Amino acid sequence: MGKVKKKNIIIVGGGITGLSLLHYLTQKYASREDIHLQLFERENHPGGTVRSFKEEQGLFETGPNGFLGTKKQTFKLINELNLGSELIRAHEKASLRYIRMGNRLLPLPMAPKALLQSELLSVPAKWRFFLEPFIKKSAIENESSYDFIKRRFGIQVAERFVDPAVSGIYAGDAQRILAKTAFPKLCSWEQQHGSILKALSIEHKKMAEKPLLHSFKTGMGAVTEALFAKHKESICLNSQVLKIFHRDDRFVISTSQENYKADELFICTPAYVGANLLKHLDVQISQDLKSICYAPVVVIAMVLSKRAFIKMPEGFGYLNPSSERSKVLGVLFESNVFSHRCHEQNMLVRFMIGGARHPDIHLRPKK
């Protein structure tokens, strides 16, 4: 019998996407000796922005501080990585969220009664909110998130609820991000039921228990570290891919060390990085990737003594509407969410700065 020809599969990018892809491809081809998998990561560490640091003052996250337990597949992966015993849940009281208005933290209303009592909306704006069932649905294809909510609930709801929500979730601009992308469920409810409030009353009966925020005892970096440990023989750190091109019907991946050939190629980098890598392979795809707008965010963690507070802030944290003209998108009360992340006499907070409102934030010199 002739020698079996190996099939090379290369993944570029060792963030959570690339590492997860490597994990599942390894499972898929576990019985195939003819498949060779390899992942290239330009940094000296895996995980991309998903990293956790344990310092004397506390546990710090460079990226997400947790994940919502909405997908069974997520927990399946956690069990496959033997991380089930490391899981923790956010504190129940952390569900309280605020909007900052005029240097005051006003609770975000989560029920009709709370909305009526809220100082976030004027009396006319509250009346306008509850007129939503009488607003006709629209056929506008590419309506922004801001315009969608303004049309259905009024301008104050758009300015004080949706504007800070979009900046908090996506670090983006509610007047540019499409409603069908940011809030697909709300858009589908409008089309199906003609009213979001009407849909909520119907869907509320079907909805299961509210998903809880989860993390790990050692932080979210536990996932990327476990994936790296499990598949490190297939991972090349400090290996920057410089360009990619075709030769003899195969992909050629040129790295800072040498060239590699691949039969299948997966690009798991930010779009702007992928655009540069693919410019010699496919000009159109490269241009499409380059056109995707990214909103840079700077994360600043601070450990504060509880003695410095006249009154300790409660809940998850707060968001800033654009009208506050702040470079800070929002502040997360980290130790309120996961109390073990700093000493009980202190409070750990994270500031999210920049985003689409201040895209040059990462260019400013460090002091």
Side-chain angles (χ1 to χ4, degrees):
M1 294 180 66
K3 187 178 179 181
V4 176
K5 183 181 178 181
K6 282 190 175 292
K7 178 180 180 180
N8 291 329
I9 301 175
I10 287 180
I11 301 168
V12 181
I16 184 64
T17 303
L19 292 171
S20 299
L21 175 61
L22 176 61
H23 177 76
Y24 290 119
L25 287 177
T26 301
Q27 287 184 340
K28 179 179 179 180
Y29 296 119
S31 61
R32 296 275 301 274
E33 295 183 2
D34 61 319
I35 300 293
H36 180 253
L37 291 162
Q38 206 165 8
L39 182 150
F40 294 107
E41 167 55 46
R42 68 179 180 180
E43 301 292 344
N44 63 0
H45 60 82
T49 58
V50 184
R51 299 184 72 197
S52 306
F53 293 92
K54 178 66 176 177
E55 304 287 348
E56 183 180 351
Q57 296 89 348
L59 178 64
F60 302 94
E61 300 278 18
T62 62
N65 75 324
F67 66 94
L68 288 176
T70 56
K71 305 291 184 181
K72 292 181 180 179
Q73 186 66 32
T74 304
F75 293 100
K76 184 175 182 294
L77 173 62
I78 289 168
N79 290 329
E80 289 171 358
L81 298 175
N82 297 315
L83 291 175
S85 61
E86 295 295 306
L87 271 176
I88 57 173
R89 289 184 175 183
H91 198 285
E92 292 179 2
K93 292 183 179 179
S95 60
L96 180 62
R97 287 163 167 78
Y98 300 93
I99 301 295
R100 175 174 167 260
M101 295 286 293
N103 290 325
R104 295 177 64 202
L105 299 186
L106 302 177
L108 184 66
M110 303 301 290
K113 183 179 179 180
L115 181 68
L116 289 171
Q117 297 172 341
S118 175
E119 295 180 59
L120 280 167
L121 298 179
S122 65
V123 173
K126 292 173 184 177
W127 279 106
R128 174 64 180 83
F129 182 95
F130 289 105
L131 286 175
E132 190 270 341
F134 303 99
I135 304 298
K136 292 182 180 180
K137 61 184 179 181
S138 172
I140 300 173
E141 179 63 22
N142 292 320
E143 191 171 24
S144 73
S145 300
Y146 183 92
D147 290 338
F148 174 77
I149 296 299
K150 177 184 174 182
R151 176 172 56 80
R152 295 222 60 87
F153 292 99
I155 191 169
Q156 278 195 10
V157 175
E159 288 179 348
R160 301 179 184 182
F161 292 4
V162 173
D163 171 85
V166 168
S167 68
I169 298 169
Y170 304 104
D173 183 347
Q175 299 197 44
R176 294 177 62 190
I177 291 183
L178 300 183
K180 65 182 181 182
T181 302
F183 305 106
K185 184 172 285 188
L186 298 187
C187 291
S188 66
W189 282 354
E190 179 191 38
Q191 296 304 316
Q192 292 173 20
H193 303 283
S195 163
I196 294 172
L197 291 183
K198 180 181 177 182
L200 276 172
S201 64
I202 297 170
E203 297 292 333
H204 179 73
K205 300 171 185 177
K206 304 177 186 177
M207 291 171 69
E209 186 178 345
K210 184 179 179 181
L212 294 174
L213 186 69
H214 292 72
S215 188
F216 302 91
K217 294 175 184 177
T218 56
M220 288 297 294
V223 177
T224 51
E225 290 169 8
L227 284 166
F228 175 70
K230 192 176 184 68
H231 303 290
K232 60 184 177 182
E233 291 183 0
S234 301
I235 299 172
C236 301
L237 299 178
N238 293 306
S239 297
Q240 182 174 2
V241 176
L242 303 175
K243 65 179 179 179
I244 299 168
F245 54 94
H246 257 140
R247 180 183 293 165
D248 300 328
D249 295 326
R250 301 183 82 191
F251 298 103
V252 179
I253 293 85
S254 179
T255 74
S256 48
Q257 285 82 32
E258 59 181 288
N259 290 346
Y260 298 84
K261 292 182 179 180
D263 301 284
E264 289 186 16
L265 175 66
F266 294 88
I267 307 293
C268 299
T269 67
Y272 55 87
V273 176
N276 186 55
L277 294 178
L278 295 174
K279 64 184 179 183
H280 299 288
L281 186 67
D282 191 306
V283 174
Q284 187 58 57
I285 292 177
S286 176
Q287 289 177 347
D288 289 342
L289 290 173
K290 200 171 184 178
S291 68
I292 297 173
C293 180
Y294 272 69
V297 175
V298 174
V299 179
I300 300 174
M302 297 181 66
V303 177
L304 307 172
S305 171
K306 289 183 178 180
R307 289 177 296 180
F309 292 89
I310 297 174
K311 180 181 179 182
M312 284 296 301
E314 298 178 344
F316 188 87
Y318 69 84
L319 295 171
N320 278 320
S322 298
S323 57
E324 291 296 301
R325 301 187 180 281
S326 172
K327 294 180 177 63
V328 178
L329 303 176
V331 177
L332 176 63
F333 304 150
E334 186 82 28
S335 52
N336 283 1
V337 184
F338 299 109
S339 58
H340 76 289
R341 293 197 171 166
C342 72
H343 192 276
E344 62 180 5
Q345 298 302 318
N346 296 328
M347 182 175 186
L348 174 60
V349 296
R350 285 206 303 168
F351 296 79
M352 269 57 78
I353 301 175
R357 299 178 191 167
H358 303 279
D360 63 336
I361 194 74
H362 69 298
L363 300 175
R364 299 189 180 189
K366 297 178 182 178
K367 295 182 179 180

